[in-house]
């Protein structure tokens, strides 16, 4: 399905609104075109011998009646159009939102939030404007042309010749305008979002710019970008101006007046109908403007639709199995079989993980250690199915995780991320994020276990304290404990704890360690941490280096044989001599 | 919420209109020639706009009354027709008007095209210049300014507000034309037939009432609608930013439900607004119909009474909308101009914000040796809240200083002050015996390297980021700093190595990796003075230790100030400074400070001890319960 069909699908879904729009639009245009006829009749009456105030009065009443119908119809169609536009905007935004939530982590790692937001805000707005008043304008213009021109032909058939002769020129002009406008509209949108991204970066990164004295570079680059935008905008403005009203229509209108006069003199046309003619010609001015505007906005709106659609359609989600199964909590044994992974859909030249074979008994604590880039986070991401392995498989209790219902799998896995993300909501809402119907007692119990209850109660509003820009700023240690509470409340079968070491005092350190110890009980846990005490007490320690599993075992085993592992501890204490030489 | 505030703010202004116009004139006057063209063009267009009805009326009159003598030449003035009193054939009588009509239409079209082009060129150039000047001034602003303004607000000024200004420039030119048309039509009507003029004029109050009323409800409903859109955007943004959490907790469905509620509210407000916005033109059309009705009835009554000819009725019908519509536009464009003024004010407010930290009149530029002296330094960010008190400190060239203290003791402030991100409130900071306020800012900052705890990377490749401060650096120089910060291993693991593209703020790297890149970036500029503010806090202990070893050589002939929480880093320093509540309370090396049993030994107990072996066994009890 292309973006055009996607857009059309949304449009056609609103049948009632579209029908109202169309029906009242026809009534509106009908009354607009008929009024000049009444006006013409008035002048025929005035000119004729038999004309009387009474007969004129009755025509005037017709004009008034048509006017009332016209106003009501115009309002109804405009309102229906506007509601239609907003309804579609709402539907599209919702659909886009849902799609964005479903996209894989890899997608979100690569796509800037700004790019997504530009589509959610600016592009949906442009689509909205195209629908209302764009679509209305185009239809109005088409029907006005049809009605008014038919009436004119009825009044003077010879006029048809002039119109038919002029029509191809008009169509060619519009076609050209359309063709020239398309690349400009596209460039304009791209340049706009580029400029926004630049601006955002230079404002948020202002300290770095200052520290490196790069103001001039930033200014020069911004100058280039704004220059480009100015040129594009100017080109677009000039193009619109050049096709303003299109000289062909101007000439048609003017020449048909000339023609009309000629016919009156020849006796083919009454004077009153010449006036009808003049008024009909005036109704033709609006459509030429409307068509120009409508086409411009059509371009912009469709380019916006394309941008939204293309981002929606990027197939970058982890595929659900065709017949997914529900995993029930059993032993929780996890095994990695020959797992390899490289980023960018396997096309990357470097393997982030290669040939990992691993067996983790249910309920054990696994500490993963390794230098930055050794593949610690990747291992975890594969387990959560944020990505699928390029080769090999991961099993839970013998079931390939690819066969497990995605939502079911993630329900069973709790995560405490390295960079804790909290929503700008209350602390309560944040802790209850994974279990919105949790009771007050449950939330407080989880907080107690996470060693967070105390500091939360220290806030004036306790659990109702709002976090983030509009509220309280939390320290790294506090955020981490809230994240632990959030994970504990869900009580997952597996837990992943990506623990960034942060500089904290001993008391907080003790609390965090206690919280972690609480977390470890009764579930299979993977921990990435620099906290040596935690590592030391893990049931299984995995040593990764450059994507390879170098060693695994308990503290007592590794301290004797693994050089990478010994390095962690050697600066702190005397170690027993190594017994085994490290392989390779 | 902020959208609504912003909206309200747009009607609440500080500068006067005249003051704003004067400032705007600075930009306009560059384009005086174009401006003259625009003004002449607008006036000519206004005149020409009202002339076609005269052509129609004259032709009509000529045809309606075939007994009268006909003119020979084109005469545009409708009231002084038929100056030539000799009979010619009918066609010759009307064709001048028809040709006139054609020519006028062509002229109008041409004028609109040219005006459109010129206005676009001028307005785009002005917008560009305003944007650029605003951005330039932004780059000179004190960091204090960025501390108090939200990124969104600053961005909106440079993008949205300048767009609003652009709209205003376009509207102003139409506004002038409409105003002119309004008066021209009014006078013309009075001259032709004062009786019928009252019918047309009688519509004006209704137009005003409708315009006024609808503008009010439009403003009201638009405010609510925009606020609702703001919430939708905020919710969307947060959902995307927190996507990994939503996924981890399987909250997608719930998030969707929440989003639907907010989205539905926006739709509701959009509908209410549509009612107001879409109501105005049909109502105006209705008023216009009343006008047509009145003119035809009253006109024909006058006609039968011999007080008006049929061509006059025709003229009045033709002029009715040429009078009413400009009236509506003038009324509605007024609000666009109002908000344009408000936008202008918001843009200018960026340039107007006071700058404290600027280059001195006679800036000193020289190569630094790295002797740093703090003399009686006091600093406060907010009036009355001293962050640093009475700091006296002398650091010799090549010396390495560690600064320790509780959170909020003022450690980071020392780094910011040395960079002259902020100016101190009292006292003086000297480098090589010259006050830092006397140095050329560029010269000063480029010789001091700061690795801050808050890492900011730019979108672009890893290599671009490392080279940010020194774009000319050779690959071997880059390699050297990569080795120093032990980044080789993780860079090798990246999909495209050094050429890997990073997302905004360095998305794609872990926090530890980002710190290493940021560290390398600073080292590449080869600074004489190096400030490390928790530079390796997110890097694992072993890697940090490796970095430390590599750094020791590099730091030998450089002055360095290290703010750290890791024991090993602190122990390596030549001297340790202990800060407490903005004051230096202790000074010395590790051993002597431990002997003193002061704050340092206290800090050691709380912050550093748990990095040692004893702590590991001590904490073990939490796991063995």
């Amino acid at each position: 399905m292309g973006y055009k069909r996607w857009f059309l699908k949304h449009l056609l879904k609103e049948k009632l609104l579209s029908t109202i729009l169309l029906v009242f639009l026809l009534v509106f245009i009908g009354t607009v075109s008929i009024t000049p006829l009444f006006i013409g009749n008035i002048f025929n009456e005035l000119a004729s011998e038999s004309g009387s105030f009474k007969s004129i009065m009755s025509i005037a009443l017709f004009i008034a009646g048509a006017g009332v119908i016209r106003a009501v119809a115009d309002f109804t169609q405009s309102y229906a159009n506007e509601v239609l536009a907003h309804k579609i905007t709402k539907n599209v935004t919702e659909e886009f939102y849902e799609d964005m939530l479903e996209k894989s982590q890899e997608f979100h790692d690569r796509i800037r939030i700004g790019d997504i937001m530009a589509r959610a805000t600016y592009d949906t707005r442009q689509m909205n404007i195209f629908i209302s008043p764009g679509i209305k304008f185009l239809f109005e213009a088409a029907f006005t042309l049809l009605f008014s021109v038919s009436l004119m032909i009825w009044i003077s058939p010879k006029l048809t010749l002039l119109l038919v002769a002029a029509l191809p020129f008009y169509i060619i002009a519009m076609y050209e305008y359309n063709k020239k406008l398309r690349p400009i509209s596209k460039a304009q949108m791209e340049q706009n979002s580029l400029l926004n991204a630049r601006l955002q970066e230079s404002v948020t990164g202002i300290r770095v710019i200052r520290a490196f004295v790069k103001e001039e570079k930033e200014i020069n680059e911004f100058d280039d970008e704004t220059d480009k935008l100015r040129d594009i905008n100017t080109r677009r403005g000039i193009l619109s101006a050049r096709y303003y009203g299109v000289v062909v229509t101007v000439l048609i209108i003017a020449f048909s007046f000339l023609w009309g006069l000629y016919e009156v003199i020849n006796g083919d046309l009454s004077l009153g109908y010449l006036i009808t003619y003049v008024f009909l010609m005036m109704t033709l001015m609006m459509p030429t403007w409307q068509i120009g505007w409508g086409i411009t906005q059509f371009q912009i709106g469709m380019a916006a639709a394309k941008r939204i659609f293309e981002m929606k359609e990027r197939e970058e989600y982890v595929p659900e199995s065709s017949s997914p199964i529900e995993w029930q909590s059993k032993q929780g044994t996890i095994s990695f079989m020959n797992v390899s992974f490289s980023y960018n859909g396997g096309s990357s030249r470097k393997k982030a993980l290669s040939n990992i074979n691993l067996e983790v008994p249910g309920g054990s604590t696994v500490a993963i250690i390794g230098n930055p880039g050794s593949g610690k986070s990747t291992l975890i991401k594969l387990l959560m199915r944020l990505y699928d392995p390029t080769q090999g498989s991961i099993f839970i209790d013998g079931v390939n995780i690819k066969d497990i219902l995605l939502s079911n799998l993630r329900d069973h896995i709790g995560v405490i991320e390295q960079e804790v993300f909290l929503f700008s909501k209350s602390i309560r809402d944040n802790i209850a994020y994974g279990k919105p119907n949790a009771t007050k007692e449950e939330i407080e119990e989880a907080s107690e276990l996470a060693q967070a209850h105390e500091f939360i109660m220290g806030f004036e509003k306790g659990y109702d304290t709002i976090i983030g820009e509009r509220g309280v700023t939390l320290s790294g240690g506090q955020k981490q404990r809230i994240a632990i509470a959030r994970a504990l409340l869900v009580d997952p079968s597996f837990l992943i704890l990506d623990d960034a070491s942060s500089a904290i005092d001993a008391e907080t350190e003790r609390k965090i360690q206690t919280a972690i110890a609480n977390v470890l009980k009764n579930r299979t846990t993977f921990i990435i941490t620099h906290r040596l005490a935690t590592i030391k007490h893990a049931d299984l320690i995995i040593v990764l280096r450059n994507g390879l599993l170098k060693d695994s075992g308990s503290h007592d085993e590794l301290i004797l044989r693994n050089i990478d592992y010994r390095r962690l501890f050697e600066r702190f204490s005397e170690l027993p001599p190594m017994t085994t030489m490290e392989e390779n | 919420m902020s959208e609504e505030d912003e909206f309200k703010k747009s009607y609440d202004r500080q500068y006067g209109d005249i003051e704003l116009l004067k400032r705007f004139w600075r930009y306009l006057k560059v384009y005086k020639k174009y401006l003259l063209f625009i003004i002449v063009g607008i006036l000519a267009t206004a005149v020409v706009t009202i002339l076609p009805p005269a052509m129609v009326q004259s032709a009509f009159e000529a045809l309606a009354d075939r007994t009268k003598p006909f003119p020979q030449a084109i005469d545009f003035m409708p009231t002084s027709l038929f100056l030539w009193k000799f009979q010619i054939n009918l066609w010759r009588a009307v064709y001048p008007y028809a040709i006139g009509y054609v020519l006028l239409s062509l002229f109008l079209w041409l004028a609109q095209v040219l005006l459109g082009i010129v206005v676009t060129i001028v307005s785009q150039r002005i917008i560009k210049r305003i944007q650029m000047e605003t951005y330039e001034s932004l780059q000179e602003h004190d960091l204090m300014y960025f501390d108090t303004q939200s990124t969104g607000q600053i961005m909106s000024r440079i993008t949205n507000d300048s767009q609003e200004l652009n709209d205003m420039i376009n509207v102003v030119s139409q506004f002038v034309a409409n105003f002119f048309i309004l008066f021209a039509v009014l006078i013309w009507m009075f001259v032709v037939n004062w009786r019928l003029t009252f019918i047309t004029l009688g519509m004006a109050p209704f137009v005003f009432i409708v315009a006024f009323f609808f503008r009010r409800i439009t403003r009201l409903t638009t405010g609510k609608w925009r606020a609702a859109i703001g919430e939708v955007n905020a919710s969307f943004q947060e959902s995307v930013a927190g996507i990994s959490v939503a996924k981890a907790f399987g909250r997608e469905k719930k998030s969707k439900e929440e989003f639907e509620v907010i989205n539905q509210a926006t739709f509701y407000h959009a509908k209410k607004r549509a009612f107001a916005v879409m109501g105005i033109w049909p109502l105006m059309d209705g008023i216009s119909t009343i006008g047509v009705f009145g003119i035809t009835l009253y006109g024909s009554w006058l006609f039968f009474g011999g007080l008006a000819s049929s061509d006059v009725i025709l003229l009045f019908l033709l002029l009715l909308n040429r009078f009413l519509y400009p009236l509506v536009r003038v009324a509605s464009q007024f609000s666009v101009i109002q908000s344009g003024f408000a936008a202008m004010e918001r843009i200018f407010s960026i340039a107007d914000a006071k700058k404290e930290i600027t280059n001195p009149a006679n800036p000193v530029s020289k190569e630094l040796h790295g002797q740093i002296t703090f003399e009686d330094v006091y600093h406060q960010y907010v009036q009355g809240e001293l962050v640093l008190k009475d700091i006296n400190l002398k650091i010799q060239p090549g010396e390495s200083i560690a600064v320790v203290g509780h959170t909020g003791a003022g450690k980071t402030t020392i780094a910011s002050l040395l960079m002259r991100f902020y100016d101190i409130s009292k006292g003086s900071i000297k480098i090589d015996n010259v006050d830092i306020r006397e140095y050329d800012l560029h010269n000063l900052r480029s010789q001091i390297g700061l690795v801050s705890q808050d890492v900011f990377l730019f979108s672009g490749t890893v290599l671009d980021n490392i080279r940010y401060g020194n774009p000319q650096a050779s690959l071997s120089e880059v390699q050297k700093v990569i080795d120093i910060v032990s980044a080789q291993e993780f860079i090798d693991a990246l999909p495209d190595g050094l050429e890997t593209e990073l997302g905004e703020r360095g998305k794609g790297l872990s926090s530890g990796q980002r710190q290493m890149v940021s560290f390398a970036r600073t080292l590449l500029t080869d600074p004489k003075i190096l400030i490390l503010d928790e530079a390796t806090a997110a890097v694992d202990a072993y890697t940090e230790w490796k970095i430390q070893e590599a750094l020791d050589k590099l730091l030998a002939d450089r002055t360095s100030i290290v703010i750290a929480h890791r024991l090993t880093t602190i122990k390596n320093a030549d001297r340790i400074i202990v800060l407490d509540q903005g004051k230096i309370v202790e000074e010395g090396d590790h051993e002597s400070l431990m002997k003193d049993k002061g704050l340092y030994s206290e800090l050691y107990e709380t912050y550093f001890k748990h990095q040692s072996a004893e702590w590991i066994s001590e904490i073990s009890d939490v796991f063995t319960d």
Side-chain angles (χ1 to χ4, degrees), chain B residues 107 111 157 160 173 177 339 368 398 411 424 459 481 483 524 618:
Chain B
F107 176 83
R157 281 175 197 181
N160 300 344
S173 57
S339 55
L368 302 182
K411 294 169 301 205
I424 50 174
S459 49
V481 295
D483 290 340
L524 193 63
E618 201 187 310

Side-chain angles (χ1 to χ4, degrees), chain B residues 310-545:
Chain B
S310 59
D311 63 289
V312 170
I313 301 173
L314 177 61
L315 181 71
F316 270 82
L317 286 180
L318 288 169
L319 287 183
L320 179 66
N321 282 352
R322 282 184 165 81
F323 178 75
L324 290 185
Y325 283 12
L327 202 62
V328 183
R329 290 209 186 93
V330 165
S332 61
Q333 280 164 349
F334 192 68
S335 65
V336 177
I337 293 174
Q338 278 278 324
S339 55
F341 270 121
M344 212 186 318
E345 186 175 85
R346 287 195 295 271
I347 298 172
F348 289 150
S349 79
I350 289 190
D352 290 353
K354 226 171 106 191
K355 297 177 189 98
E356 307 252 328
I357 297 165
T358 48
N359 246 353
N362 299 305
V364 179
S365 273
K366 63 173 187 183
E367 202 175 315
L368 302 182
H369 293 290
Q371 191 209 49
I372 303 167
T373 326
F374 281 70
E375 277 172 18
D376 306 322
V377 171
Y378 285 79
H379 188 67
Q380 55 186 17
Y381 293 108
V382 185
Q383 192 66 36
E385 288 175 31
L386 278 175
V387 187
L388 287 182
K389 283 170 249 176
D390 194 24
I391 300 290
N392 280 289
L393 182 65
K394 199 160 187 151
I395 306 171
Q396 294 309 323
E399 199 182 3
S400 168
I401 294 284
V403 182
V404 299
H406 283 291
T407 313
K411 294 169 301 205
T412 301
T413 303
I414 288 190
S416 297
L417 292 180
L418 201 54
M419 292 295 286
R420 233 195 131 199
F421 282 164
Y422 306 91
D423 269 344
I424 50 174
S425 311
K426 219 177 109 187
S428 78
I429 300 174
K430 288 178 181 161
I431 296 179
D432 299 342
N433 289 318
V434 178
D435 193 296
I436 57 169
R437 283 167 291 199
E438 285 167 33
Y439 279 103
D440 175 65
L441 264 176
H442 187 286
N443 181 261
L444 177 78
R445 287 180 184 156
S446 60
Q447 293 184 73
I448 306 177
L450 169 68
V451 187
S452 72
Q453 51 184 334
D454 211 3
V455 176
F456 185 93
L457 299 183
F458 294 90
S459 49
T461 66
V462 176
L463 185 62
D464 288 343
N465 269 293
I466 294 178
R467 274 185 178 158
Y468 182 76
N470 185 4
Q472 281 88 33
S474 70
L475 273 178
S476 64
E477 285 171 299
V478 171
Q479 190 56 52
K480 219 173 104 191
V481 295
I482 288 176
D483 290 340
I484 292 172
V485 301
S486 294
Q488 190 61 49
E489 259 183 304
F490 93 78
I491 289 173
D492 278 343
L494 292 174
D496 298 310
L498 269 177
E499 297 295 336
T500 306
E501 286 278 345
L502 302 179
E504 58 199 349
R505 306 203 104 197
K507 217 162 143 183
L509 296 182
S510 74
S511 52
Q513 293 165 345
R514 283 203 287 265
Q515 276 199 328
M516 288 151 107
V517 172
S518 142
F519 207 145
R521 173 173 74 184
T522 300
L523 290 181
L524 193 63
T525 60
D526 194 19
K528 202 68 203 160
I529 298 170
L530 192 64
I531 308 169
L532 308 177
D533 184 3
E534 307 270 10
T536 46
V539 177
D540 66 278
Y542 177 65
T543 309
E544 190 189 36
W545 176 69

Side-chain angles (χ1 to χ4, degrees), chain B residues 291-311:
Chain B
V292 173
F293 185 70
I295 290 170
T296 39
L297 274 192
Y298 186 55
S300 37
W301 192 73
L302 290 176
F303 176 81
F304 290 112
L307 289 168
S309 60
S310 59
D311 63 289

Side-chain angles (χ1 to χ4, degrees), chain A residues 354-503:
Chain A
S354 40
N355 271 327
I356 304 291
N357 282 293
L358 189 65
E359 179 99 12
V360 179
S364 53
T365 302
V366 184
I368 309 170
I369 62 163
N371 58 298
S374 60
K376 297 180 302 235
S377 309
T378 311
L379 193 77
I380 295 305
K381 284 176 184 162
L382 292 183
L383 184 61
M384 286 177 70
R385 263 201 100 199
L386 291 179
Y387 307 106
D388 275 338
T390 325
Q391 275 166 37
S393 310
I394 302 166
F395 298 91
I396 294 181
D397 289 339
V399 182
N400 191 331
I401 59 168
K402 275 189 187 175
D403 298 329
I404 300 174
L405 187 70
L406 208 55
S407 57
N408 176 249
L409 176 75
R410 290 192 186 143
D411 273 349
H412 283 288
I413 303 179
V415 181
I416 298 154
E417 296 179 301
Q418 188 185 62
E419 275 161 83
V420 174
F421 183 90
L422 298 177
F423 293 89
S424 6
K425 294 179 180 172
S426 69
I427 291 180
R428 181 191 315 282
D429 287 347
N430 268 291
I431 294 177
Y433 184 73
K435 194 181 178 187
N437 52 359
T439 63
K440 186 170 174 276
E441 288 71 32
E442 286 176 308
I443 292 173
E444 285 180 13
E445 199 197 319
S447 309
E448 294 266 15
L449 280 175
Q451 307 289 310
H453 182 69
E454 205 179 316
F455 83 77
I456 294 171
M457 292 314 284
F459 293 126
E460 206 180 312
K461 288 183 183 161
Y463 281 86
D464 294 319
T465 307
I466 303 290
I467 309 173
E469 255 183 58
R470 296 182 203 169
V472 172
T473 314
L474 299 179
S475 73
Q478 289 173 331
K479 278 186 188 169
Q480 196 177 27
R481 279 177 281 163
I482 287 187
I484 292 176
R486 179 165 72 182
L488 280 175
L489 187 64
V490 182
D491 195 18
S493 311
F494 305 100
L495 194 90
I496 291 162
L497 201 154
D498 196 348
D499 173 31
S501 101
S502 46

Side-chain angles (χ1 to χ4, degrees), chain A residues 121-164:
Chain A
T121 57
Y122 180 79
D123 286 343
T124 52
R125 181 84 194 114
Q126 292 308 324
M127 266 174 73
N128 185 312
I129 294 172
F130 163 59
I131 299 167
S132 174
I135 287 185
K136 187 187 85 165
F137 275 4
L138 289 175
F139 273 97
E140 265 183 33
F143 285 121
T144 308
L145 281 174
L146 191 72
F147 284 24
S148 295
V149 170
S150 306
L151 263 176
M152 286 168 98
I153 291 169
W154 176 68
I155 290 166
S156 163
K158 286 175 192 160
L159 197 70
T160 324
L161 273 175
L162 187 68
L163 284 170
V164 167

